[in-house]
Amino acid sequence: MFKKFFVIVFVFFSSQVFTQEIPPIQVFSPQEYNAEDQNWAITQSENGFIYAANNSGLLEYNGASWRLFKSPNEDILRSVNAVSDRIYSGGYMDFGYWVKDERGGFIYTSLLATEEIDIKEDEEFWKIIDIEGYVLFQSLESIYIYNIKEESFSIINSEVRINKMFKVDETIYFQKDKVGLFKIQNGKEVLLTDASIIKDKEIINLYTKDDGLILLTKSDGLFLFNNNLVSKWSVEANVFLSNVKVYSSVELSNSNLLIGTISHGVILVGSSGEILLKIDKSNGLSNNTVLSLTQDKFGNIWLGLDNGINVLNLESPFKVYKDKLGVLGTIYTSAKHNGNIYLGTNQGLFYKSLDANVEYTFIPGTKGQVWFLEILQGSLFCGHDQGTFIIDNNVAKKISDEFGTWIIKEIEGVPNLLIQGNYKGLFILESVGKSWRLRNKIEGFDISSRYIEFIRYNELLVNHELKGVYKIKIDEDFREVERFDQTLIEKGVKSSIVSFEDDIIYSNKKGVFRYSKQDEEFLKDSLLSNVFSGENYYSGKLIKDDESNRLWGFNKDEIVYIEPGNLSNQPKVNDISIPQKIRKNKAGYENILRLEEDVYLIGGTDGYLVLDLKKNRQSPAQIYLNEILYRSFKQDYYSSVDMEEDLLLANKDNSLRFNFSVPEFDKLAGTRYQYRVKGMSEEWSSWVSDAHVSFENLPHGDYTFEARSITGNVISSNTITYNFSIEKPWSKKPLAIVLYTLIGFLFALAVHYLNRRHYKKQKYKLLEKKEQEIQLEQLENKRKLIQFKNENLQLDIENKNRELGTATMNLVKRNELLNNIKVRLTKIKSIDGLKPVIGLIDDNLNDSSDWVLFEEAFNNVDKDFMKRMKSLHPSITPNDLRLCAYLRLNLSSKEIAPLLNISHKSVEVKRYRLRKKIGLDHDQSLANYILGL
């Protein structure tokens, strides 16, 4: 499906392209419809779809997308005509018809192949007309008359070229080149006229006029045929038509003629022969060569061009003025005064006569932004970035140099004063004689005052978008602000205040609020807030039209106007569907001007719209389901389905796409769609512009797809419905359930068998485990017994250590005592008597029995030490071993000396000699070495 991209092109009347407002043209390029450039004929089917004979084949446009159906021989199609449910087409060496199949495509049937008709070599069929159950196919050599009911042919042959074939009031006419004009009567050709004035002129089309005919020629303009006489029609259009080459034309429903040329686009000719409109490539068309023209049942004109397809929306309620060169700029305000229309823009002030097709003229001295235009006290006041002007006879006269005049308002009961809001607060204008001047600034309020509305004589509200709404009280002479307070209403960018129906209304993104004079606060208006807030909000700018007593506002997708209720106090809300992206208003600076009853000018950023409310009458359109496609979730391509029957899809084919459309071609209004799938959700989707929707990986179940449309603001007359089902997966079908049951039963048996085996093995394992636990318990008991014995042995060792220690200390103390006695005895002068005593003491000190006892006790505690020392150091003596034993007990030299019965210094000498025998380094400790063995 082709994605459409609409280019709205605005074109204008006459050579002065800046001044004429006309309906919009919608352009379809070859890239959009994805076929070749030339389109030789266009027709519309009963359901409103458009079909074009293109160089590539048959083009279909359903209002949302284009599709191309190639002819069987893939040749150029020259003609097309929709008759009932068939689309007849003609081309090179073939003609036939197309019929829709159940999948939304087409099946082609060649009538030549079916009827076995011989045609001339290289014959092409340029025109198809239906009449009274017949379809006529015209080539340059013959006319083939096909009886639809009997499926038979009759043929009118010609020896000369047949230029064209026409249908006028249920009569078929055709022209033989340089022979004359004929009509078909009772299946035979009958000469109508061979008047010399047109005999050699190629006739493009015929139309009725009074009791005669209008003959449109290729190069010589319009002729009249009355009472068997042919004469040149003396009308304005012939001046132009006599200088161009005409290729196509169509008579419109209002009897005007739209004529397509080879190199000058199209012209619209009135019923009296006056030129109403000229359009060519310079002001809108894709191409100046117009190959075909058709008016659809909605009043749109389809142009088959040498390069593309264009649609002229003649019945649109809008006409558009396009400022192509950017001379005007963005329109901020407009006014109508003394037969002129004035446009205030960011470039200055421009005007033109309301009734003249002339360019807009710039008023000198107004260069810059024009914020305000209004007729007050009979004069046209202009609020400008540079001050305030009065426009008199299209001349700007400055009456105030105060920068930035936003607004000027009359003061009730004081006709000689006006109040104006400026960038720096409020000012008073005074009428002096026949002129106006700036009287004074109202002191005490310096805030920019774009919007002001009076509550009472000297009390007013001033809105500043970024600061909020202020309530101001001014003194009686309007020279000084006595008091001003900021109201509690929330400030808002693009907000405004306006008086309507004796109320002051404030509007911002949060909603619409009415000012209560009694409560002195703004109260929310629920009805208007629903209209001007939410997702569709675009601007809070509200404009009152005093002449028609309407309040205008602007949303994203429509323009809204409010009127007082006819039978109640409830206001009437009306909307005109036109998206902001098309109308191109500058947000917060929207403006609208009443030109005449129900006709309004709406300013934009590159021109303006002219809205005719009398044409804004929409009827419900019809939505069509064009195609249904499906695929599996993993596939990259779709397959189409039969739309005439309910659909049952395999579980894997659970992704669907629905294509739908509305054959409504006024795209200024726009069409949106809403859908739902019952069985998945009962809620309608939000409105979307895409004319297709996809659903991926749907679960199994029964579904009903529904879709509807809204064109403008009118919901479609029908809702398309399609039922489809997605099968359960194989795993949930009855056979699968039976298999699952059988498998479950077998599985239960297997589980039972395996459980028995398992429990048997578990029993053996438990017995083995019990035996292992008993063995482990026995081993544990043995371990505890050994541990108990080891603990007893350890106690014995500790006891022996204590005994050894005690014995050693006793020896030390005994020897110390004996030495002390010996020392004292030696101090006695008469030693002879004491010698036996000293000898006895020496014998006790040198008694080796103490050492024997000590050695026995020591070996009990550390029985391997002596052996290790002797084996490591064979050169040591028993006395050395004795010293080693004492060092093993970690005794100091002082403690060892009494045990060896030597002095402390002698112990140190022994220790030194022992170190040498052992071979210790100087920095190694002898005691640590012995303790470490």
Side-chain angles (χ1 to χ4, degrees), residues 303-322:
L303 287 72
L305 305 177
D306 197 53
N307 185 19
I309 295 174
N310 292 176
V311 187
L312 178 61
N313 298 134
L314 284 181
E315 298 302 317
S316 172
F318 293 100
K319 290 185 179 180
V320 184
Y321 170 80
K322 180 76 170 179

Side-chain angles (χ1 to χ4, degrees), residues 508-602:
N508 66 9
K509 192 172 184 178
K510 299 292 184 180
V512 178
F513 305 82
R514 294 181 184 268
Y515 184 75
S516 171
K517 295 179 182 179
Q518 180 179 354
D519 299 327
E520 295 189 342
E521 63 177 343
F522 284 97
L523 303 176
K524 192 166 188 176
D525 185 306
S526 57
L527 174 65
L528 296 184
S529 293
N530 288 336
V531 176
F532 296 112
S533 63
E535 293 183 358
N536 202 27
Y537 174 85
Y538 179 71
S539 170
K541 178 74 176 288
L542 298 178
I543 303 169
K544 182 186 177 183
D545 170 24
D546 290 319
E547 291 186 75
S548 58
N549 198 25
R550 289 169 173 155
L551 183 67
W552 293 83
F554 302 82
N555 285 333
K556 284 182 182 178
D557 294 323
E558 66 266 340
I559 299 173
V560 180
Y561 65 94
I562 311 297
E563 297 176 303
N566 294 327
L567 302 175
S568 68
N569 294 327
Q570 189 87 342
K572 181 182 178 183
V573 180
N574 308 274
D575 48 42
I576 302 110
S577 178
I578 178 169
Q580 161 58 23
K581 63 183 179 181
I582 293 177
R583 67 177 189 259
K584 297 182 179 178
N585 302 121
K586 183 174 176 60
Y589 292 89
E590 295 86 354
N591 55 94
I592 188 166
L593 171 68
R594 184 180 185 271
L595 297 176
E596 58 184 81
E597 185 178 0
D598 289 337
V599 178
Y600 291 85
L601 181 150
I602 303 168

Side-chain angles (χ1 to χ4, degrees), residues 60 144 195 221 229 407 440 457 557 606 677 718 764:
E60 178 193 63
Y144 296 80
L229 296 176
I407 190 171
N440 64 277
Y457 168 71
D557 294 323
D606 58 357
V677 177
N718 69 312
Y764 292 138

Side-chain angles (χ1 to χ4, degrees), residues 168-197:
V168 181
D169 291 339
E170 300 303 311
T171 300
I172 303 298
Y173 299 87
F174 64 94
Q175 182 193 25
K176 290 186 178 182
D177 190 39
K178 295 182 174 54
V179 174
L181 182 63
F182 293 77
K183 67 178 180 178
I184 298 177
Q185 189 171 320
N186 297 324
K188 305 293 182 181
E189 62 179 73
V190 177
L191 179 65
L192 184 67
T193 179
D194 57 357
S196 59
I197 192 172

Side-chain angles (χ1 to χ4, degrees), residues 285-305:
L285 295 186
S286 300
N287 187 268
N288 282 335
T289 302
V290 184
L291 302 178
S292 58
L293 288 165
T294 300
Q295 184 176 32
D296 67 24
K297 62 183 180 181
F298 308 113
N300 303 301
I301 309 300
W302 291 80
L303 287 72
L305 305 177

Side-chain angles (χ1 to χ4, degrees), residues 665-683:
F665 309 110
D666 183 357
K667 294 306 175 182
L668 284 183
T671 297
R672 291 171 293 161
Y673 303 90
Q674 197 177 46
Y675 56 85
R676 65 180 175 182
V677 177
K678 289 184 176 181
M680 184 171 69
S681 173
E682 294 295 320
E683 298 295 324

Side-chain angles (χ1 to χ4, degrees), residues 11 32 42 58-59 72 92 118 140 161 183 202 204 245 255 370 378 478 495 506 516 579 596 700 743 775 838 876 902:
V11 294
E32 289 177 74
I42 297 177
L58 181 67
L59 277 175
Y92 178 77
D118 293 329
L140 299 180
R161 171 189 169 107
K183 67 178 180 178
E202 184 177 341
I204 299 301
K245 301 291 184 184
S255 299
V370 176
F478 291 94
S495 61
Y506 173 76
S516 171
E596 58 184 81
H700 68 86
I743 292 171
Q775 292 176 357
I838 294 172
I876 62 175
I902 59 176

